[in-house]
Amino acid sequence: MRDGDRLQISQQSFHGQPRLKGTGMKDIRDQTYYEILEISPTATPKEIQRAYEHARETFHADSVAVYSLFSEEEVKGIEEVVEEAYRVLMDETLRRDYNQSHLPMPPMAEGQPTETSSEAQGIPGEEKPPLSFTGLSFDAEERPYRGKTLKQIRQGMGIELQTISKEMKISTKTLEWIEEEAFEKLPPLVYLKGFLKSYAQSLGLDPPKVIEEYLRFKEESKKK
Amino acid sequence: MEQDQSIHRKMIWTIGGGKGGSGKSFITANMGVCLSKLGVRVVLIDADLGGANLHTFLGISPPALSLSDFIKKRVSHLREVLIPTAVPNLQLLTGAQDLLNAVDAKSVQKRKLVRSIQSLDSDTILVDLGGGNSLSVLDFFLMSDGGILVVTPEPTSIENTYRFLKSAFYRRLKQSVCCSSVKALIDDALDRKNEMGIQNPHDLIRAVRQIDEEDAQRIVEEVKTFRPNLVLNQVRSKKDIEIGFSIRSACLKYFGIHLHYLGYVVYDQEVSRSIRRKRPLVLENSGSRAAQCVMEIASKLANSHSMANRD
């Protein structure tokens, strides 16, 4: 029954299913890093992170969704491009350079308002996150959400602790303790859950999953 | 004039792909019930060659009348072979073999039959295609307003679905091009061991470009408009649900097509219980989790139907 409850995710979220970025009949070798990750050129680091995790989940040798369409080498090839795309797009400088050489027009080029608006229309559904589905996250067995993982993800997105602190009204110290896994200093469970929820939301992660795995990790380390 | 309008408004959905046992008939029957409860007039067509038994899902004994009575002119109107069900607004049409034979035949008869189906007094037609992969099944899938693939999150089911999708995809491309050498090339491409070394649709388009640029452009256009739908059935975990998104991404990378992930249905013991009782789950146990999932998917179909009418 419990396990079943976890499946009670409303399919409402499917309504917001974004249109995948159109690559048409473009060969993988000709696709931009944005097309590889199925995101728009204006994607935020949060969106890139999520798209990357989805791509990693999808394109690997054991994935049931790909083995019968792609050869092993092809999957390996996609995996490599996905890693490279993630590396470049998550780095502000590299991304800027990449955009200049690979995108037809820099997103904010020319001050003419008419041009800007028509361009914006050319990218349908870009305001939507690449995968609106909250249940979507990487393999729990592989990388459970503990303090260190959360910190890595946050740093990968280039988000400062202060930003989350301000946005979510949580003291920087508490956030640090969460990341450093300083369990003895953390507030009582009820509050901790609330903090973890806010933290997860600010990184675009799945809150119930973050809370569950973080607390499980906390319990396990207590036993040791 | 009135008839023209009713033809215009009708939506024909086909449910196919994968293999037997993925739940196509269960989903077709229950979606039909849901839609009719939403006030949509529905005709279910059982075109499952392997084992036509939609009637059992609806608790009806094997029907005496079928499509062949219409084709052999034992009745004059197609509506006379429609079988009423216990649900208002919901009717059933059986006769898989005849239907698919007719689709296969390039004849006046085929067109007449399709026109008769389209002029039936209903808003939505759901066709259960079964697990078949034959050309006529593919054609019916491609002719419909929306094709729905029902898959379970198992490698065997996904593998078969891709095989079906690949066949349908290449068939659609073949129908869209003009040049006979391009048609032949598409036939060859289906066999991965072909001499041209065409491994995937991307290789194909490159090869077509060298023969006929216009046909290559036709293929590109065709790929853009081919938008099949996906329903993941018997889902047991969150990870299973994610497989649907992975299938979507894999199809985009491989075919360049936009597969729409319509929804999922959770694994639920109530499903087999309802089938044993020969009662649609959404009537027998509408509060069950699987029934809730089917209802959500059906309401999406109803929405897309009303959207289409607004246009």
Side-chain angles (χ1 to χ4, degrees):
Chain A
M1 194 56 201
R2 279 222 105 163
D3 192 39
D5 284 342
R6 291 179 55 193
L7 274 177
Q8 293 283 359
I9 307 151
S10 167
Q11 297 193 32
Q12 292 299 329
S13 50
F14 278 66
H15 287 302
Q17 197 171 135
R19 230 181 293 167
L20 296 178
K21 295 302 140 198
T23 54
M25 287 293 280
K26 248 191 194 177
D27 197 309
I28 288 159
R29 281 161 287 184
D30 304 328
Q31 290 180 16
T32 66
Y33 288 160
Y34 296 101
E35 288 166 329
I36 290 288
L37 292 178
E38 299 169 22
I39 50 179
S40 95
T42 54
T44 63
K46 213 187 272 185
E47 289 165 350
I48 298 169
Q49 176 71 30
R50 226 184 302 176
Y52 166 71
E53 283 168 12
H54 167 68
R56 266 184 46 143
E57 180 106 338
T58 302
F59 297 100
H60 60 86
D62 298 328
S63 163
V64 288
V66 300
Y67 78 90
S68 59
L69 278 185
F70 299 92
S71 69
E72 265 176 54
E73 297 94 81
E74 284 170 329
V75 174
K76 215 177 218 161
I78 298 174
E79 268 183 297
E80 280 165 17
V81 192
V82 164
E83 291 298 332
E84 182 59 14
Y86 177 67
R87 192 182 66 82
V88 170
L89 298 188
M90 285 303 255
D91 183 305
E92 225 175 289
T93 325
L94 292 180
R95 185 176 177 183
R96 203 180 313 123
D97 292 347
Y98 180 84
N99 286 354
Q100 261 163 18
S101 53
H102 288 81
L103 294 186
M105 222 190 294
M108 285 305 161
E110 308 299 316
Q112 294 164 344
T114 46
E115 206 167 304
T116 324
S117 64
S118 69
E119 197 185 321
Q121 281 167 1
I123 313 161
E126 65 171 322
E127 70 287 353
K128 300 253 173 73
L131 287 162
S132 60
F133 194 59
T134 48
L136 204 74
S137 48
F138 48 72
D139 193 290
E141 281 73 44
E142 258 177 26
R143 294 171 60 189
Y145 290 123
R146 44 179 284 193
K148 280 182 188 150
T149 350
L150 291 173
K151 187 175 180 180
Q152 268 172 14
I153 294 172
R154 176 181 63 76
Q155 287 175 336
M157 291 183 189
I159 298 175
E160 295 293 324
L161 263 192
Q162 283 76 10
T163 318
I164 303 181
S165 164
K166 227 189 232 164
E167 194 183 324
M168 295 297 172
K169 305 202 171 26
I170 307 172
S171 81
T172 328
K173 264 270 154 302
T174 310
L175 290 171
E176 265 171 25
W177 289 335
I178 289 176
E179 286 186 349
E180 301 308 329
E181 295 160 4
F183 300 131
E184 68 289 345
K185 294 183 186 152
L186 288 174
L189 198 60
V190 230
Y191 299 107
L192 177 60
K193 276 187 184 170
F195 293 153
L196 284 170
K197 186 180 169 196
S198 305
Y199 186 110
Q201 277 169 344
S202 65
L203 296 188
L205 303 171
D206 178 24
K209 197 169 162 164
V210 170
I211 295 171
E212 188 197 317
E213 289 175 8
Y214 190 94
L215 294 181
R216 197 194 304 141
F217 179 75
K218 181 169 168 272
E219 277 311 296
E220 277 164 13
S221 18
K222 212 195 278 174
K223 279 179 207 153
K224 277 172 202 167
Chain B
M1 238 3 238
E2 222 168 83
Q3 188 157 348
D4 272 358
Q5 272 181 1
S6 74
I7 288 173
H8 179 71
R9 281 189 291 118
K10 206 175 311 294
M11 291 287 274
I12 302 182
W13 296 89
T14 46
I15 294 92
K19 61 202 243 302
S22 66
K24 289 177 285 294
S25 301
F26 164 76
I27 285 175
T28 308
N30 281 279
M31 255 178 2
V33 175
C34 290
L35 285 172
S36 55
K37 285 177 85 179
L38 290 169
V40 180
R41 291 168 307 160
V42 183
V43 172
L44 300 180
I45 299 183
D46 196 343
D48 185 347
L49 280 178
N53 50 20
L54 260 189
H55 55 271
T56 308
F57 283 90
L58 298 164
I60 306 172
S61 42
L65 281 170
S66 82
L67 195 58
S68 68
D69 294 300
F70 172 68
I71 289 170
K72 293 187 180 133
K73 299 200 166 81
R74 283 195 283 264
V75 298
S76 51
H77 280 285
L78 187 60
R79 62 170 180 269
E80 292 172 57
V81 295
L82 289 180
I83 298 138
T85 69
V87 184
N89 288 333
L90 183 67
Q91 292 172 295
L92 176 66
L93 177 64
T94 64
Q97 189 71 64
D98 304 302
L99 180 73
L100 294 173
N101 284 348
V103 172
D104 234 0
K106 282 185 183 163
S107 63
V108 186
Q109 196 194 24
K110 167 187 164 180
R111 256 178 251 145
K112 195 185 146 203
L113 180 66
V114 171
R115 214 173 305 138
S116 309
I117 290 175
Q118 280 171 336
S119 67
L120 279 174
D121 194 20
S122 77
D123 306 310
T124 292
I125 294 174
L126 302 179
V127 189
D128 179 2
L129 289 176
N133 223 350
S134 65
L135 291 183
S136 47
V137 167
L138 295 177
D139 280 344
F140 220 110
F141 187 79
L142 294 173
M143 270 165 57
S144 63
D145 298 304
I148 301 173
L149 302 162
V150 178
V151 192
T152 60
E154 282 135 17
T156 42
S157 175
I158 296 169
E159 214 173 298
N160 285 357
T161 302
Y162 283 154
R163 198 171 300 145
F164 179 87
L165 199 55
K166 213 184 253 183
S167 310
F169 177 80
Y170 281 117
R171 187 154 179 84
R172 183 167 167 140
L173 297 191
K174 198 179 155 191
Q175 287 166 351
S176 73
V177 297
C178 301
C179 190
S180 60
S181 53
V182 173
K183 282 184 198 280
L185 189 70
I186 296 173
D187 276 337
D188 290 345
L190 251 179
D191 176 11
R192 260 205 129 165
K193 292 190 193 109
N194 61 75
E195 288 172 8
M196 320 278 298
I198 298 174
Q199 294 292 308
N200 54 47
H202 303 291
D203 293 341
L204 174 70
I205 194 102
R206 255 194 300 274
V208 172
R209 273 231 159 84
Q210 289 180 354
I211 302 176
D212 190 306
E213 182 58 39
E214 276 179 34
D215 267 352
Q217 204 44 47
R218 282 191 191 100
I219 289 181
V220 170
E221 286 307 310
E222 209 57 29
V223 169
K224 268 190 218 156
T225 52
F226 186 37
R227 293 183 171 235
N229 300 280
L230 175 76
V231 170
L232 206 58
N233 192 24
Q234 296 179 16
V235 164
R236 290 167 203 254
S237 65
K238 270 190 187 179
K239 219 171 150 70
D240 280 353
I241 298 170
E242 287 163 26
I243 289 176
F245 288 104
S246 288
I247 292 175
R248 189 168 71 127
S249 291
C251 284
L252 183 66
K253 285 264 188 299
Y254 184 84
F255 297 106
I257 59 172
H258 295 260
L259 187 74
H260 183 234
Y261 190 7
L262 205 53
Y264 59 85
V265 180
V266 297
Y267 176 83
D268 189 340
Q269 304 240 322
E270 291 301 318
V271 172
S272 81
R273 207 165 293 159
S274 76
I275 295 171
R276 278 179 215 190
R277 285 194 196 133
K278 296 194 231 160
R279 285 263 297 163
L281 178 73
V282 291
L283 294 181
E284 180 76 0
N285 191 345
S286 60
S288 64
R289 294 187 298 128
Q292 298 280 327
C293 292
V294 176
M295 284 177 206
E296 284 217 35
I297 295 170
S299 71
K300 277 181 220 170
L301 290 196
N303 273 340
S304 71
H305 182 244
S306 62
M307 298 269 272
N309 274 344
R310 219 175 297 155
D311 291 342

